[in-house]
């Protein structure tokens, strides 16, 4: 399949880029191996996306996609497998059709980091989870552990505190990385307890699922579920050896230009100090603008 602009990844960055490029008159294909929305699909409630008072990540994702499609973007459930540039064109192999394009906007996002402790893999789906909205409702009235100290851990601990009998936030440092407003809300919750300066050494369980976590101070904390929110890993593997990366994040400037002319990066996958839905959407708009300038000067 041929197109002007291929967008890889259909989270907020990719779908914004696709909408802007399609509105600028380009033939745009946006691909994602999963449902459009990216990490939005894991967010229970968003209250800091401009113009939206309070909405679910899923609802916002649907609106991003609907809007992109209304501008003529073609969306396909294909995963990108490899990328090459020859004679000024990009050749991208995907799990669907192979694609040839004039420019590529890489917005493949990031995935959950794992703890790597014993029991984590074994009890995945049996109490170990990386998604509060997906799995939280299974643990109504139960004891829940949340691991991590960033915005995701705090936001999702607040959500889980409405479901569980008690929520223990286990964080490796004594200070949270997450926003002050979220810290204040966490502190105000009667059923959230803090386990600071501790790590999870092992997740224990039996045939029915998780039963406890062993902490680095030797405490065995009885819990029925462990929600792990310890950051993200960029989905940039297919760019290794093709474009400049920094700790896996795609190096891109304020125009979203990467080390490869015609390849632009946007959203959580690129080097950026602040990863939010609004910054991802802004990156997408800028990437589409830069792709437009690049194609016009080809
Ligand atoms: P993050 O900000 O990178 O935080 C990851 C947390 O996990 C940190 O507290 C870190 O500890 C801890 N951690 C990392 N590796 C660990 C390990 N091996 N063992 C134990 N703990 C570990 O990730 P995030 O919270 O998922 O957020 C990702 C991005 O999305 C951020 O930019 C965030 O601001 C954004 N976000 C925003 C919102 C919002 O605005 N509403 C909501 C969710 C996410 P240290 O602090 O010690 O490094």
């Amino acid at each position: 399949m041929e197109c002007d602009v291929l967008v890889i990844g259909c989270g907020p960055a990719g779908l914004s880029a696709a909408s802007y490029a399609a509105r600028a008159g380009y033939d745009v294909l946006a691909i994602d191996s999963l449902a459009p929305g990216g990490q939005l699909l894991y967010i229970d409630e968003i209250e800091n996306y401009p113009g939206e008072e309070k909405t679910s990540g899923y609802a916002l994702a649907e609106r991003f996609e609907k809007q992109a499609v209304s501008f003529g973007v073609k969306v396909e459930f294909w995963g990108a497998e490899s990328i090459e540039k020859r004679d000024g064109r990009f050749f991208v192999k995907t799990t669907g059709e192979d694609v040839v394009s004039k420019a590529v906007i890489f917005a493949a996002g990031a995935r959950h980091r794992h703890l790597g402790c014993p029991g984590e893999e074994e009890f995945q789906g049996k109490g170990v989870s990386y998604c509060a909205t997906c799995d939280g409702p299974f643990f109504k009235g139960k004891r829940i552990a949340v691991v991590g100290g960033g915005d995701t851990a705090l936001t999702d601990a607040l959500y889980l505190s409405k479901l569980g009998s008690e929520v223990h936030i286990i964080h490796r440092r004594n200070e949270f990385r997450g926003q002050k407003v979220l810290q204040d809300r966490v502190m105000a919750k009667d059923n959230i307890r803090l386990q600071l300066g501790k790590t999870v050494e092992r997740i224990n369980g039996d045939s029915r699922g998780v039963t406890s976590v062993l902490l680095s101070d030797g405490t065995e904390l009885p819990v029925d579920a462990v929600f792990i929110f310890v950051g993200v890993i960029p989905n940039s593997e297919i760019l290794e050896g093709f474009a400049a990366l920094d700790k896996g994040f795609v190096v891109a400037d304020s125009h979203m230009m990467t080390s490869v002319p015609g390849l632009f990066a946007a959203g959580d996958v690129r080097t950026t100090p602040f990863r939010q839905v609004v910054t991802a959407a802004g990156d997408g708009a800028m990437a589409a603008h830069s792709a437009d300038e690049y194609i016009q000067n080809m």
Side-chain angles (χ1 to χ4, degrees):
M1 182 186 284
E2 286 201 23
C3 62
D4 296 322
V5 180
L6 171 65
V7 177
I8 300 177
C10 291
L15 289 173
S16 300
S19 286
Y20 269 74
R23 278 196 83 228
Y26 291 107
D27 182 18
V28 182
L29 170 66
I31 63 169
D32 200 309
S33 49
L34 300 171
Q39 291 180 76
L40 269 182
L41 299 176
Y42 301 109
I43 302 177
D44 171 52
E45 201 172 78
I46 297 178
E47 61 174 17
N48 58 357
Y49 188 74
E52 295 277 355
E53 284 193 349
K54 221 172 228 184
T55 185
S56 75
Y58 186 82
L60 189 56
E62 274 192 334
R63 291 200 287 277
F64 268 112
E65 187 197 2
K66 208 170 152 198
Q67 188 183 30
V69 170
S70 77
F71 292 136
V73 174
K74 282 195 260 343
V75 178
E76 296 286 356
F77 293 95
W78 300 345
E81 293 186 319
S82 67
I83 181 166
E84 288 178 36
K85 193 179 177 195
R86 290 196 305 270
D87 305 327
R89 292 280 190 281
F90 290 90
F91 293 80
V92 177
K93 282 198 187 315
T94 83
T95 52
E97 291 177 34
D98 292 350
V99 183
V100 181
S101 69
K102 294 177 184 160
V104 171
I105 297 175
F106 193 77
R111 60 185 182 273
H112 307 297
R113 179 180 287 126
H114 289 199
L115 282 176
C117 68
E120 182 180 18
E121 302 300 319
E122 186 183 346
F123 293 107
Q124 246 182 69
K126 295 183 209 153
V128 171
S129 170
Y130 303 87
C131 177
T133 19
C134 317
D135 298 323
F138 295 122
F139 298 98
K140 276 192 185 133
K142 305 275 188 191
R143 298 159 303 182
I144 295 172
V146 164
V147 189
D151 284 340
T152 308
L154 299 183
T155 307
D156 288 7
L158 287 165
Y159 169 72
L160 291 165
S161 71
K162 292 183 271 178
L163 300 169
S165 57
E166 57 190 70
V167 173
H168 294 265
I169 303 182
I170 304 162
H171 177 41
R172 65 183 177 185
R173 287 189 297 134
N174 288 317
E175 285 148 31
F176 287 120
R177 178 182 293 274
Q179 298 164 51
K180 175 83 171 50
V181 60
L182 297 173
Q183 295 187 30
D184 291 345
R185 283 182 208 166
V186 158
M187 302 299 179
K189 282 277 178 184
D190 289 339
N191 66 340
I192 296 186
R193 317 217 195 298
L194 305 184
Q195 307 287 346
L196 299 181
K198 298 173 195 175
T199 54
V200 175
E201 297 296 298
R202 196 173 66 226
I203 298 171
N204 299 314
D206 58 24
S207 57
R208 284 170 301 160
V210 168
T211 53
S212 69
V213 287
L214 177 67
L215 302 182
S216 49
D217 64 351
T219 315
E220 190 168 338
L221 196 64
V223 291
D224 306 290
V226 186
F227 286 83
I228 299 169
F229 306 117
V230 293
V232 292
I233 297 173
N235 294 320
S236 61
E237 285 80 356
I238 71 157
L239 296 188
E240 277 168 20
F242 183 71
L245 305 178
D246 178 8
K247 297 190 192 86
F249 292 96
V250 186
V251 177
D253 63 12
S254 59
H255 294 249
M256 309 302 137
M257 266 186 233
T258 70
S259 59
V260 180
L263 173 72
F264 304 89
D268 283 10
V269 78
R270 87 171 180 106
T271 47
T272 173
F274 198 40
R275 294 189 169 84
Q276 301 279 302
V277 181
V278 64
T279 54
D283 278 11
M286 178 55 85
H289 172 70
S290 298
D292 179 16
E293 286 192 335
Y294 170 81
I295 293 171
Q296 287 194 53
N297 291 314
M298 270 176 94

